[in-house]
Amino acid sequence: MNKKPSSNHPTWALAHKRPGTELRLIRGNYYLYEYKTVYDKEKKRARKISGSLLGSITEKDGFVPSAKRNLEKAIAPDFSGIQCREYGVSKLIMDQFTVYTDALQKVFPDQWKDILAIAYCRFVYRCPLKNIPFRLASGYLSDLLDLKPFSEKYSSNILNSIGADREKILQYMKTFITSGEYLLMDATDIFSASEHINLAQKGYNSSLQYDTQFSLMYIYSSDSRMPVYYRLLPGNIREVKSFKNCLREAGLEKAVIIADKGFYSQTNLEMLLQEELLFILPLRRNNTFISYQDLKENTFKSGDSFFTHEQRPIWYKTFEIASPAKSSNKPLKAIVYLDELLRIREDADYLRRIKTHPEKYSIQEYHNRKDRFGTIALITVLNENEEGTYETYKSRMSIEVMFDSMKNVLEADHTYMQNEQTLQGWMFVNHLTLQWYQHLYLELKEKKLLKKISVNDYIQLLTDVKKIRINGSWYLNEFTAHTQRLIDKLGIKLI
């Protein structure tokens, strides 16, 4: 075959040439081919790759399409009128999260749809800011909200605008705070790689890691078991100094600080008392406040000093403690609780470890520790009975679940935001998704489904519910019987 490329093609042949095509003269006949150029890394220059034959060209007939190409077009299915989008979670948000969307619409009347769309992308796909346009386009929520597609820059501008208006964020959060209820406070650390945000400072977290971070202070309702308030703090600010200002900003007087065992120190205790804050602090079992040698099992089991928690008897002993803060008049007390089922498990576990790990465990150490097994010691200034204090402390488990969902499920444990206002807006979106997550968690718990399905499983199963668009009309796509059973149990209406 004699190919003769030439730049001196006749005008009648050149008239049919267009970008991405090339003329070839083969055995005296002209043909039009596709081609593209790619960069050759080895030769370090562009290289042409020839493509398919498009057709022939004659002076009499002009361009004649290739018969093979016409056949391919004729038998190829036309998918141009078909689209498939996520529908299940989009419908869930619009139907079952109305308490949040209504509050959002009231506070941010011009931006609530955009905020909802960004939160949807975080909630379903945990995606970073750059992937939001793509993820939003793959879901049906934009159709339900009648939203136009928007870019990463537009998303960033929305977050920047929200983050610059702390008053509106506060207005939204106060919608979910009920006067007179108990509110629990706790904090967690968020690592940051940002170099241009004042909040990101070097500091130690609860794991004694020294890194650039900021702190996230949360207030959590013990009645609704929902997160209701948050505030970002510099990573080098001590938590106790910030508790009071958080209460002031939230407009609260009654809140209980519930910390973990690593929070307790003489200094922190004195600061809490001086600020006249309500708190429950758990103590490590080696704390000198408690003399465990005097707390034998039979010492607990005297009189009627017990209550029932989750169908288990809990015994307790209460001790008055002298306040280390001279300026505080609040009585300080320590309560030691004994959960006998927990004691039996810890006792058996330690004895088992003597056999399996004799280098770390011994019978001598067992006798030194056995009086501590099954106990929890709390220091508090709450004017509650022992059962109420215990129940309030145990509600901290819900806070831990909440933080775990934020850090692990929503992947918000670090950020690369370089602008503080955008960061504030981003954390507000995470607050919304955290409310949604907790809403679903409580729903699954109420319906006793948590042992069968997690919140994350719930979300992923609903993403299998899609709508398909065929020739301009939307239809509910097929999904599995397993998904249908879940939808029925949760009472979700898809139509």
Side-chain angles (χ1 to χ4, degrees):
M1 181 170 65
N2 180 29
K3 296 182 182 179
K4 185 181 178 182
S6 173
S7 60
N8 299 318
H9 298 304
T11 304
W12 55 264
L14 289 171
H16 299 282
K17 189 175 181 298
R18 56 184 185 273
T21 64
E22 62 176 345
L23 286 172
R24 292 187 189 177
L25 180 60
I26 305 174
R27 296 194 183 99
N29 298 315
Y30 277 101
Y31 298 91
L32 190 66
Y33 281 81
E34 290 179 323
Y35 84 92
K36 63 180 179 178
T37 57
V38 297
Y39 183 75
D40 192 320
K41 293 182 179 179
E42 294 182 359
K43 297 182 178 180
K44 297 184 178 179
R45 59 182 174 84
R47 178 168 60 87
K48 186 178 76 173
I49 298 178
S50 296
S52 303
L53 170 68
L54 297 175
S56 61
I57 301 173
T58 67
E59 186 174 6
K60 178 183 177 181
D61 299 323
F63 176 72
V64 180
S66 165
K68 182 179 179 182
R69 178 59 62 90
N70 284 339
L71 180 62
E72 288 175 351
K73 289 183 178 179
I75 64 175
D78 180 15
F79 292 107
S80 60
I82 298 179
Q83 288 179 296
C84 188
R85 294 184 181 177
E86 184 284 319
Y87 178 70
V89 182
S90 299
K91 182 69 170 172
L92 175 79
I93 290 172
M94 296 304 295
D95 288 356
Q96 296 199 23
F97 292 166
T98 53
V99 64
Y100 314 109
T101 55
D102 289 349
L104 202 61
Q105 185 175 1
K106 183 178 180 181
V107 178
F108 298 95
D110 299 325
Q111 299 170 307
W112 73 277
K113 290 184 179 181
D114 295 326
I115 299 171
L116 203 63
I118 297 171
Y120 159 81
C121 295
R122 287 292 290 159
F123 185 63
V124 181
Y125 303 107
R126 315 172 202 168
C127 63
L129 192 61
K130 65 179 181 180
N131 293 342
I132 283 177
F134 167 73
R135 288 302 189 182
L136 187 59
S138 67
Y140 196 74
L141 185 67
S142 55
D143 292 77
L144 294 174
L145 294 172
D146 194 25
L147 269 180
K148 294 180 179 179
F150 52 76
S151 63
E152 177 187 349
K153 183 176 180 180
Y154 183 79
S155 304
S156 181
N157 289 339
I158 289 294
L159 296 177
N160 193 283
S161 175
I162 300 164
D165 199 339
R166 178 68 178 174
E167 287 303 317
K168 282 191 175 180
I169 291 176
L170 279 171
Q171 186 182 342
Y172 173 86
M173 291 191 293
K174 287 180 179 179
T175 305
F176 301 94
I177 298 176
T178 304
S179 177
E181 68 175 337
Y182 261 138
L183 295 146
L184 315 177
M185 299 180 68
D186 202 355
T188 190
D189 302 298
I190 309 292
F191 290 111
S192 174
S194 304
E195 298 178 355
H196 307 291
I197 294 180
N198 291 331
L199 287 171
Q201 299 290 334
K202 291 282 188 178
Y204 285 102
N205 63 10
S206 57
S207 301
L208 296 180
Q209 292 174 295
Y210 188 72
D211 209 339
T212 303
Q213 61 190 10
F214 55 86
S215 294
L216 178 61
M217 184 76 69
Y218 249 103
I219 297 181
Y220 172 94
S221 167
S222 63
D223 293 345
S224 67
R225 299 186 180 275
M226 292 293 295
V228 295
Y229 167 93
Y230 75 91
R231 182 181 171 212
L232 297 181
L233 303 166
N236 57 356
I237 297 295
R238 299 186 68 175
E239 295 170 3
V240 178
K241 295 180 179 179
S242 306
F243 285 139
K244 197 80 169 184
N245 285 336
C246 288
L247 292 175
R248 291 190 181 108
E249 186 184 46
L252 296 168
E253 295 181 359
K254 188 178 181 182
V256 181
I257 298 162
I258 301 183
D260 57 25
K261 292 180 180 179
F263 177 84
Y264 173 83
S265 70
Q266 185 78 1
T267 302
N268 282 348
L269 179 60
E270 290 179 4
M271 291 179 69
L272 289 171
L273 291 167
Q274 289 168 0
E275 294 292 339
E276 297 186 343
L277 295 165
L278 300 177
F279 60 85
I280 299 175
L281 302 183
L283 301 177
R284 298 186 187 277
R285 289 179 178 173
N286 59 358
N287 193 288
T288 55
F289 261 127
I290 308 300
S291 176
Y292 287 94
Q293 297 296 327
D294 298 331
L295 289 174
K296 308 294 183 183
E297 182 185 350
N298 57 0
T299 306
F300 277 99
K301 293 184 177 182
S302 60
D304 58 355
S305 299
F306 77 95
F307 55 86
T308 302
H309 174 77
E310 295 182 351
Q311 300 181 342
R312 301 201 310 268
I314 307 295
W315 297 85
Y316 60 86
K317 281 288 183 181
T318 305
F319 307 90
E320 294 292 334
I321 298 176
S323 174
K326 297 179 181 179
S327 59
S328 175
N329 295 320
K330 287 189 176 182
L332 184 63
K333 61 182 177 183
I335 310 171
V336 183
Y337 298 91
L338 172 64
D339 181 339
E340 191 163 5
L341 287 180
L342 178 61
R343 181 190 67 79
I344 292 171
R345 286 201 300 269
E346 290 185 354
D347 192 279
D349 180 66
Y350 196 98
L351 291 173
R352 186 164 51 249
R353 289 171 185 265
I354 293 175
K355 299 292 185 182
T356 58
H357 297 82
E359 71 280 2
K360 293 183 179 180
Y361 301 88
S362 66
I363 193 64
Q364 293 82 5
E365 190 62 23
Y366 164 79
H367 288 294
N368 292 334
R369 295 189 181 190
K370 64 180 181 181
D371 294 324
R372 305 176 189 179
F373 292 155
T375 63
I376 298 176
L378 305 176
I379 290 183
T380 184
V381 290
L382 287 184
N383 187 23
E384 276 194 352
N385 61 27
E386 287 78 2
E387 181 177 0
T389 301
Y390 186 85
E391 294 290 347
T392 302
Y393 172 73
K394 279 296 183 178
S395 65
R396 188 182 188 278
M397 293 300 295
S398 298
I399 300 179
E400 291 179 352
V401 169
M402 183 185 73
F403 280 153
D404 180 69
S405 68
M406 179 183 63
K407 285 193 169 188
N408 300 322
V409 178
L410 302 180
E411 296 179 355
D413 59 340
H414 63 278
T415 177
Y416 293 90
M417 298 282 175
Q418 298 295 324
N419 177 289
E420 190 162 321
Q421 289 181 181
T422 307
L423 172 63
Q424 293 283 2
W426 188 243
M427 294 310 296
F428 177 66
V429 166
N430 278 303
H431 177 69
L432 291 179
T433 56
L434 194 55
Q435 286 183 311
W436 298 352
Y437 184 93
Q438 187 70 359
H439 181 106
L440 295 185
Y441 174 83
L442 294 173
E443 181 183 3
L444 291 174
K445 185 176 182 180
E446 180 184 350
K447 295 180 178 180
K448 298 181 179 179
L449 294 172
L450 276 176
K451 291 183 178 180
K452 297 180 180 179
I453 182 172
S454 69
V455 176
N456 196 38
D457 294 334
Y458 185 171
I459 296 168
Q460 293 307 310
L461 278 170
L462 282 183
T463 60
D464 290 339
V465 179
K466 301 181 186 297
K467 270 207 169 181
I468 187 169
R469 184 179 182 180
I470 305 175
N471 297 326
S473 297
W474 287 100
Y475 303 93
L476 192 64
N477 203 10
E478 303 87 351
F479 46 85
T480 66
H482 178 66
T483 302
Q484 182 64 63
R485 287 193 294 271
L486 172 67
I487 289 170
D488 294 339
K489 286 182 180 179
L490 296 169
I492 300 172
K493 296 181 179 180
L494 297 174
I495 300 176

